Each structure stands twice: as structure tokens, then as C-alpha cells.
């Protein structure tokens, strides 16, 4: 049998697992679910599950409420962790020669994808074969244990009911553009960041573009930024005809080196755009002092740092303007593109709102040029569900980072790798957990062959990108980082065991790559 990722237990299988005569099916299912197979119960079968499970207890109750509470108790105490698979209206529409519930189950199973089977003890269903498998087949399932770079599936499991509820609410009220969820989300983002204004937009890239437009950045202007970041940071500056002026990064945090900013300021400088890389804020106080001295606007590229703290403040509330991304892989991610701008200034916030909606100050009255940069209502609905667990998830990321630090400490001390440095006045959201290694291509290749996914954020300084090339620029620390950084799997659901496996694999790969000790204690945070 090919790899199975989802098992739906039908009512007969649920009763079998909950009943007294279970053999080892319950244990098998527990083991499979621990190894990453999702176990589902189908909501359309709920009355049948209740009937069959409660029949196991006394079997004589005709009161559904009573049967229901008995069944709930049994499900709680006997079942492996399961999720409820929703019934969609389409499940009940396809009627062929099969009975309606069997057909609905088959339709729902198909929705989960081809790696799905329905476990049953119902002989009629067993006989159909195909999707339906019996206990014996469950016992012979092979599990492929995978290490994920990020784990949105486990997060979805934790949030399934609120995600479904929120998305369905939008389907029903029908305000797909600028619906009520946008205002609610903006309010919550303001509360969480401490910013005076928050404006939901279509992506992190649009957030940067809109913030630069609100700062009146245009042709001939210069914007000081980091060369060691995602392309969008400088792309948006260049899109407006302005010139990104790259200032090298600090070799420990990879954020813009504040000691080098002032010498880059000229009469054409309009703004400073620091990037809070990997989830750690740039040195915003020093940057704000310089900006005030030279009358510049500060735009924090906080695409990776929403939720991070800096001294007494929080990312996105530390400068005139800030921009974040809700790209799915970000610590707070939507199910598509989304982002937000933030401002501490009423006038700037008004401009942000106008620019995201074609420069309108009222319907069909355009007071400036803008873009269609609005956030989709459905994405706001997804983000509202995710915000409920976001702070807990950041704490879990911080715990995972602390575990990595312990696991990697010895090798870091030997100088075989460098671990991330978070300054004492910062907390990171750990958008990435990024180490530095020598012989990175070999290390990455060996880890990939061993089943451990890694990523490189980012392989090239932006002034070397063909579309943004500035051949006279040389930022030594940025180039060095681009050659050495390696991001390890990072998400709130990482376990001790998996992290140990990742660390061992990294050590073996470093050994096999023939790398020599090259990193100083200072590069490992011993300042
Ligand atoms: C530092 C940085 N800036 C800007 C962006 C752009 O955000 P988005 O992908 O939402 O447009 C990203 C996203 O990857 C980023 O990491």
C-alpha cells in the first residue's frame, strides 16, 4: 500500500476502538498518530458514532442526550488524538447506487487527498475495497516520519474549528473586500503591537511600497537600508525610482550596523529602512536619534518581527512607520498573501489608508495616487483565528530556540558553527533559527539527504542581485553572512526529540564536510 497520511475511522471502527474487545487496534492507531498520521472522525457520522459507541456501554438508552454524553466520555478516554472532518454540502449531493453516508464519507476522504483511507469493520464497506481498509490493513501501514521546516498542519489542527467558523462567516456575510474582519484585525494588531494605527494590506511587499509612498519617497531620493534581507526591501525603494543605499550589517545580529548609518546620509536621503531580521528588532533607538537629527523618516521592515520586543516597546511601534508580512511561513501567517502597515502618526496613517485603496478619501474621490493594496477579508478572518494562539506560539518558538542553543553549545564553543545572537534588550519571534557554518553547500546537501530540510536566508547581498546591481558597493559582513547562514527547522511544534535529531544531523554534516573550527566565541554571543 502507498504511503498513508490520513485515516478516517468510520462509526464501526470508532466503536471497535472504544469497545472492550479491541485487540491492539487502539495502540496501533495511537502509534500511527504519534508518527504523524492524521486520524479523523467524520461529522456526518456523528449520530451513528454516538449510537454505536453508547451501545457499548449499556446499549439500551433511547435518549440521544444521554447517549451523547456516554459516547463523549468513551471517545475522550479511549481514542487516539483525532480531528473532526467537516461535512461540506457537496458531500451529501452525490448520490449513486451507494448509501448516502458511505458516498459522503468517500467524497470527504477524496477531499483529504489520495493518501487517505477509511478504516471500517463494516463488512459491506470492507468489501468495496479501495478507500476502505480493515484492521489488518491498518496494522500493516508503513509510516514515513518527516521533519518539517515549518509545521502549518499541526497549527491548523489546533485551530480547525475557529478557522472554519471564521472563513464560513465571510462566505455567509459576503463582504469579501474590506469586510468587518479587517477592522477587527487592525484593532487587535494595534493592541498587540502598541502602535497607534494599523492598516491591513495585501502583502508585506505592498506594506513597504505603501509606507514609502506615504513618506513621499520618489525619483532621486535615497533610502538607507540593509543589503542582507529579502529582495522586497530594496525592490520597493527602486520601484518608486529611489535608490537603495546599502549599509553593512552587524556581524552578530545581521541587522543594519547603526555605527555606519550616519556616514551614508546625504542631502538626498529621505528615509532609513532598517530590517528586523529573523525576528529580532534592529537598534531602533539609535536609528531614531539619527533620523531626528537629519529629519528623516524611519520605516521598520518588520516582516519577520511582528510580536518581538525591543526594550520597553514592541516591533511595529518603534518608528514613524512599520511594515509586516503575514506570508504563510511567517510567525503570524495567513493562508495566502497579507500584510500590515503601522504608524504612530495620525496624518501618515490617513495617507496609508488612502494609498492602499487607490488614493481615495471617499468613494470615487482620489486625492492622491495609490494602489489596490487592500487585505482580503478571508485572510483577515484566518489571521483573527491565528492571533488567538499567537503569543503562546511565540513562547514555544523561544523555547525551541533555547533548546537549540543548548544542543549546539558545545560545537559552537569549538568554533565549528555560530549560533544566533539575540541582544539582551531584545526578544526574538524566531522567524528563522539561523546558524553559520563553513562549507554550507555540502552541509546543506548532506542534511537534505538525511531528511532534514534547511534553507538559506539569504544567499546574495542585494547589491549583487542582477535587478538591483550596484557594482561599486561592498559590504563585507553581508557577503560573509550570505555565504555562511543556514536556517534550521523552526516552528512552535518542534519537539525535543526532533531537535536532537536535527542537531545530530547538523554535527555529522559539518564533520563530513571537513570544516575546521572558524567561529570565535564573540560570534556565538560571548561578548
Ligand atoms: C524582510 C522582508 N521584507 C519584506 C518581505 C515581503 O513580504 P511579502 O512576502 O508578504 O510580500 C519579506 C517576506 O518574505 C521579508 O522577509
Amino acid at each position: 500500500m502507498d504511503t498513508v497520511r490520513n485515516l478516517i475511522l468510520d462509526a464501526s471502527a470508532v466503536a471497535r476502538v472504544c469497545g472492550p474487545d479491541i485487540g491492539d487496534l487502539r495502540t496501533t492507531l495511537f502509534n500511527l498518530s504519534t508518527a504523524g498520521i492524521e486520524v479523523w472522525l467524520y461529522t456526518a457520522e456523528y449520530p451513528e458514532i454516538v449510537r454505536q459507541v453508547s451501545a457499548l456501554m449499556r446499549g439500551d438508552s433511547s435518549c440521544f442526550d444521554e447517549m451523547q454524553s456516554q459516547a463523549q466520555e468513551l471517545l475522550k478516554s479511549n481514542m487516539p488524538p483525532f480531528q473532526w472532518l467537516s461535512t461540506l454540502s457537496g458531500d451529501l449531493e452525490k448520490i449513486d447506487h451507494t448509501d448516502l453516508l458511505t458516498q459522503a464519507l468517500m467524497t470527504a476522504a477524496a477531499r483529504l487527498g489520495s493518501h487517505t483511507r477509511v478504516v471500517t469493520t463494516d463488512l459491506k464497506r470492507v468489501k468495496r475495497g479501495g478507500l476502505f481498509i480493515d484492521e489488518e490493513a491498518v496494522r500493516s501501514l508503513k509510516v514515513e516520519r518527516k521533519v518539517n521546516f515549518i509545521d502549518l498542519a499541526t497549527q491548523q489542527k489546533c485551530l480547525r474549528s475557529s478557522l472554519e467558523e471564521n472563513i464560513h462567516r465571510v462566505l455567509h456575510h459576503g463582504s469579501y473586500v474590506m469586510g468587518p474582519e479587517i477592522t477587527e484585525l487592525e484593532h487587535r494588531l494595534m493592541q498587540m503591537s502598541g502602535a497607534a494605527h494599523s492598516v491591513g494590506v495585501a502583502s508585506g511587499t505592498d506594506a513597504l511600497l505603501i509606507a514609502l509612498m506615504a513618506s513621499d519617497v520618489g525619483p532621486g531620493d535615497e533610502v538607507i537600508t540593509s543589503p542582507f534581507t529579502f529582495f522586497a526591501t530594496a525592490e520597493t525603494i527602486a520601484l518608486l525610482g529611489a535608490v537603495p543605499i546599502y549599509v553593512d550589517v552587524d556581524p552578530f545580529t545581521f541587522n543594519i550596523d547603526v555605527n555606519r548609518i550616519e556616514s551614508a546620509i546625504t542631502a538626498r536621503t529621505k528615509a532609513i529602512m532598517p530590517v528586523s531580521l529573523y525576528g529580532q528588532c534592529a537598534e531602533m533607538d539609535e536609528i531614531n536619534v539619527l533620523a531626528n537629527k537629519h529629519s528623516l523618516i524611519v520605516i521598520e521592515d518588520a516582516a519577520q518581527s511582528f510580536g518581538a520586543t525591543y526594550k520597553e516597546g514592541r516591533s511595529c511601534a518603534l518608528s514613524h512607520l512599520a511594515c509586516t508580512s503575514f506570508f504563510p511561513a511567517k510567525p503570524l501567517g495567513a493562508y495566502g498573501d497579507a500584510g500590515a502597515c503601522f504608524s504612530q502618526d495620525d496624518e501618515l496613517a490617513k495617507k496609508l489608508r488612502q494609498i492602499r485603496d487607490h488614493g481615495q478619501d471617499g468613494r470615487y474621490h482620489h486625492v492622491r495616487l495609490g494602489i489596490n493594496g487592500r487585505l482580503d477579508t478571508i485572510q483577515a478572518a484566518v489571521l483573527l483565528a491565528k492571533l488567538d494562539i499567537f503569543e503562546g506560539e511565540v513562547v514555544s518558538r523561544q523555547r525551541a530556540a533555547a533548546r537549540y542553543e543548548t544542543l549546539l553549545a558545545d560545537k559552537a564553543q569549538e568554533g565549528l558553527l555560530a549560533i544566533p545572537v539575540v541582544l539582551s534588550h531584545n526578544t526574538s519571534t524566531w522567524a528563522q533559527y539561523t546558524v553559520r557554518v563553513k562549507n554550507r553547500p555540502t552541509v546543506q546537501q548532506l542534511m537534505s539527504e538525511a531528511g532534514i530540510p534547511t534553507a538559506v536566508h539569504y544567499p546574495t547581498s542585494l547589491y549583487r542581485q542582477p535587478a538591483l546591481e550596484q557594482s561599486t558597493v561592498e559590504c563585507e559582513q553581508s557577503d560573509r553572512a550570505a555565504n555562511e547562514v543556514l536556517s534550521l527547522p523552526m516552528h512552535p511544534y518542534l519537539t525535543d526529540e526532533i531537535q536532537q535529531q536535527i542537531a545530530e544531523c547538523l554535527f555529522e554534516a559539518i564533520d563530513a564536510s571537513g570544516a575546521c573550527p572558524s567561529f570565535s566565541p564573540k560570534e556565538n554571543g560571548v561578548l
Side-chain angles (χ1 to χ4, degrees):
M1 193 184 296
D2 59 355
T3 316
V4 168
R5 302 208 185 103
N6 295 287
L7 286 177
I8 306 175
L9 307 191
D10 80 355
S12 69
V14 175
R16 182 101 175 109
V17 174
C18 291
D21 177 26
I22 51 163
D24 57 358
L25 182 60
R26 190 188 301 162
T27 318
T28 308
L29 285 168
F30 262 108
N31 293 340
L32 290 172
S33 81
T34 320
I37 289 195
E38 305 294 349
V39 178
W40 302 85
L41 308 190
Y42 182 42
T43 51
E45 282 221 314
Y46 182 67
E48 186 56 19
I49 290 170
V50 169
R51 198 188 63 74
Q52 293 205 28
V53 170
S54 60
L56 295 168
M57 296 193 85
R58 275 185 241 112
D60 54 359
S61 176
S62 55
C63 164
F64 189 76
D65 282 354
E66 203 180 302
M67 281 162 49
Q68 192 166 228
S69 61
Q70 290 168 1
Q72 294 285 9
E73 279 312 303
L74 265 182
L75 287 177
K76 249 193 256 160
S77 49
N78 289 296
M79 288 288 293
F82 65 88
Q83 302 177 70
W84 283 107
L85 178 62
S86 300
T87 310
L88 300 192
S89 46
D91 297 354
L92 305 172
E93 278 166 7
K94 292 182 195 144
I95 304 174
D96 58 8
H97 57 280
T98 324
D99 75 85
L100 181 61
L101 207 47
T102 304
Q103 186 63 53
L105 247 177
M106 290 167 68
T107 311
R111 223 185 310 130
L112 289 180
S114 59
H115 302 278
T116 303
R117 296 291 180 277
V118 180
V119 185
T120 185
T121 64
D122 177 330
L123 285 181
K124 255 178 34 206
R125 286 180 177 169
V126 173
K127 262 203 217 138
R128 290 184 69 94
L131 270 177
F132 292 98
I133 59 171
D134 62 9
E135 287 174 57
E136 246 350 275
V138 174
R139 286 191 191 95
S140 64
L141 287 179
K142 300 265 173 299
V143 185
E144 228 178 59
R145 222 178 177 168
K146 235 177 106 211
V147 175
N148 299 306
F149 190 72
I150 55 168
D151 186 359
L152 295 178
T154 302
Q155 182 197 52
Q156 190 176 102
K157 217 189 286 192
C158 303
L159 289 174
R160 185 165 313 286
S161 58
S162 57
L163 283 166
E164 287 178 350
E165 208 176 303
N166 286 9
I167 291 170
H168 275 257
R169 191 173 305 123
V170 179
L171 293 183
H172 293 307
H173 69 51
S175 296
Y176 310 121
V177 175
M178 299 309 285
E181 284 78 3
I182 303 286
T183 317
E184 192 184 338
L185 176 71
E186 288 174 346
H187 188 69
R188 287 189 56 190
L189 294 176
M190 266 160 55
Q191 281 179 330
M192 286 185 76
S193 62
H197 302 274
S198 150
V199 180
V201 298
S203 67
T205 305
D206 273 357
L208 293 171
L209 190 63
I210 292 168
L212 286 162
M213 288 170 80
S215 309
D216 297 322
V217 168
D221 291 334
E222 292 178 354
V223 177
I224 292 173
T225 193
S226 161
F228 190 59
T229 171
F230 180 60
F231 187 68
T233 312
E235 178 188 35
T236 46
I237 298 169
L239 269 174
L240 293 173
V243 183
I245 301 296
Y246 300 108
V247 166
D248 206 354
V249 294
D250 172 87
F252 309 113
T253 63
F254 306 123
N255 283 332
I256 193 165
D257 184 344
V258 284
N259 298 314
R260 298 180 196 238
I261 292 178
E262 192 155 26
S263 59
I265 296 173
T266 71
R268 289 181 299 279
T269 309
K270 197 71 171 265
I272 307 174
M273 193 191 271
V275 181
S276 296
L277 201 73
Y278 302 152
Q280 169 172 217
C281 287
E283 291 293 78
M284 298 304 288
D285 280 355
E286 286 86 340
I287 292 168
N288 286 330
V289 167
L290 283 174
N292 285 341
K293 184 171 157 194
H294 296 275
S295 304
L296 307 174
I297 284 193
V298 177
I299 306 170
E300 182 193 9
D301 181 344
Q304 304 181 10
S305 62
F306 180 77
T309 62
Y310 170 84
K311 300 181 182 172
E312 304 303 313
R314 285 181 162 256
S315 178
C316 296
L318 303 168
S319 47
H320 304 108
L321 288 160
C323 304
T324 198
S325 163
F326 301 127
F327 182 76
K330 294 287 189 262
L332 177 61
Y335 283 159
D337 282 308
C341 294
F342 297 83
S343 182
Q344 303 293 72
D345 179 287
D346 297 350
E347 271 312 300
L348 278 174
K350 199 161 105 187
K351 277 169 107 176
L352 293 173
R353 287 188 188 284
Q354 290 171 353
I355 294 166
R356 89 164 154 191
D357 197 9
H358 299 291
Q360 297 184 90
D361 67 350
R363 197 162 166 77
Y364 298 134
H365 191 253
H366 305 265
V367 290
R368 63 183 77 249
L369 295 182
I371 59 172
N372 174 358
R374 297 174 303 242
L375 171 63
D376 285 348
T377 309
I378 284 197
Q379 296 306 342
V382 168
L383 288 165
L384 282 169
K386 292 204 183 188
L387 266 180
D388 288 341
I389 59 165
F390 177 64
E391 288 191 345
E393 285 192 331
V394 171
V395 172
S396 301
R397 284 174 179 276
Q398 288 165 347
R399 282 203 199 108
R403 284 198 298 266
Y404 267 138
E405 188 170 330
T406 310
L407 286 164
L408 304 181
D410 288 350
K411 294 283 175 198
Q413 215 157 23
E414 287 172 39
L416 283 166
L417 61 107
I419 54 178
V421 176
V422 174
L423 301 179
S424 59
H425 54 259
N426 282 340
T427 62
S428 177
T429 52
W430 297 103
Q432 307 298 343
Y433 188 91
T434 305
V435 298
R436 291 162 72 176
V437 292
K438 296 290 175 186
N439 302 345
R440 185 185 63 203
T442 313
V443 172
Q444 194 175 23
Q445 175 67 27
L446 291 170
M447 290 184 78
S448 163
E449 283 164 12
I452 306 292
T454 57
V456 174
H457 305 99
Y458 297 89
T460 312
S461 296
L462 290 189
Y463 51 83
R464 297 189 189 282
Q465 288 288 357
L468 286 171
E469 197 167 337
Q470 293 184 20
S471 55
T472 54
V473 178
E474 185 87 47
C475 294
E476 189 192 336
Q477 297 304 337
S478 171
D479 283 345
R480 192 178 154 207
N483 283 326
E484 295 178 349
V485 290
L486 185 69
S487 301
L488 304 181
M490 171 48 91
H491 56 79
Y493 307 97
L494 270 176
T495 60
D496 263 339
E497 193 194 345
I498 300 272
Q499 284 187 273
Q500 214 146 0
Q501 191 186 333
I502 294 166
E504 277 160 24
C505 179
L506 174 63
F507 299 157
E508 280 167 24
I510 290 174
D511 270 358
S513 78
C516 307
S518 332
F519 298 97
S520 67
K522 203 172 171 191
E523 283 166 322
N524 279 299
V526 186
L527 299 174

